[in-house]
Amino acid sequence: PDGAGVILASKILRKKLKQKVAGVELAEKLVARSGKSGIKFFFYGSKPETDEGMSTADLAKKKLLEKYPDANIVGTSDGYVKSEDNDALIEKINASGADCLFVCLGVPKQEEWICKNREKLSPSLILGLGGTLDVFAGTVRRAPEIFIKLNLEWLYRLLKEPKRIGRMMKLPKFILSVIFSRKEG
């Protein structure tokens, strides 16, 4: 689970989860071990151009390779793929030989894209990882450690990006639906 809402819902349902696992941390650990494991990664998502003149996905790859020189990142694509170019993107992903695909388009777009295309994709592991490429590229910073430890990473992100308020207001609805489904069940 990557988020305070899922952890809270698990407590309400009395289905205790061991711990929160941030997607960005999971992704970095997987990439860090890819040289030894032989697992190949493809990054899909985020902006087509950064201040450095390359896509966020390419910049993320570059910075990860600086940190983990033996990482096995076999391809990238920015997240601004037109619907008529989707089949070409899938061909590119499949031709790369990637075992794992990071889809970083944001919620719910990444989940919808994965669901629509998973039968056509050859990677055996496909992860929806939101802003992970932005963090790897250094274009977005993670919340300070104190926010993470207090499960307030969402608050930090809201303070940095107030436009997220509409999306974040869905959390109380989610929690209420969990509570009411528990009472009915």
Side-chain angles (χ1 to χ4, degrees):
D2 179 13
V6 176
I7 299 295
L8 179 57
S10 74
K11 288 177 183 175
I12 291 168
L13 293 171
R14 296 189 182 129
K15 305 269 186 194
K16 189 156 170 47
L17 296 170
K18 194 169 187 176
Q19 69 187 44
K20 176 183 176 251
V21 179
V24 68
E25 293 168 12
L26 171 65
E28 184 165 358
K29 286 179 181 176
L30 290 171
V31 170
R33 295 179 179 146
S34 68
K36 290 181 179 160
S37 69
I39 296 172
K40 296 177 268 190
F41 292 88
F42 191 102
F43 298 165
Y44 169 44
S46 204
K47 295 182 177 128
E49 191 166 333
T50 63
D51 292 341
E52 327 244 330
M54 62 179 73
S55 74
T56 302
D58 284 332
L59 184 56
K61 176 182 177 179
K62 177 183 175 210
K63 291 199 173 187
L64 284 168
L65 287 172
E66 289 169 1
K67 193 171 182 179
Y68 308 108
D70 65 340
N72 207 350
I73 305 164
V74 295
T76 66
S77 174
D78 69 66
Y80 288 75
V81 176
K82 296 176 186 167
S83 58
E84 61 265 19
D85 296 329
N86 192 60
D87 288 341
L89 170 64
I90 291 169
E91 285 178 33
K92 179 180 177 181
I93 293 166
N94 292 344
S96 75
D99 303 296
C100 181
L101 170 62
F102 292 172
V103 182
C104 302
L105 303 173
V107 175
K109 189 175 180 185
Q110 64 197 18
E111 288 78 13
E112 291 166 352
W113 188 89
I114 292 168
C115 194
K116 178 182 173 193
N117 296 292
R118 67 180 175 209
E119 297 299 322
K120 302 177 212 169
L121 291 160
S122 61
S124 51
L125 180 61
I126 304 169
L127 300 171
L129 294 168
T132 295
L133 295 179
D134 299 298
V135 173
F136 289 163
T139 58
V140 171
R141 293 187 49 151
R142 280 198 74 197
E145 195 65 33
I146 188 69
F147 281 83
I148 295 169
K149 284 185 179 183
L150 294 172
N151 280 327
L152 294 174
E153 197 165 2
W154 63 270
L155 177 61
Y156 176 80
R157 292 174 73 190
L158 180 60
L159 293 171
K160 295 296 261 178
E161 299 176 66
K163 67 181 181 193
R164 299 172 72 87
I165 189 72
R167 202 175 111 196
M168 289 190 173
M169 291 310 296
K170 293 177 182 174
L171 180 59
K173 290 180 186 176
F174 169 71
I175 297 300
L176 287 172
S177 71
V178 168
I179 290 169
F180 288 115
S181 70
R182 185 172 189 281
K183 287 181 180 180
E184 291 171 4

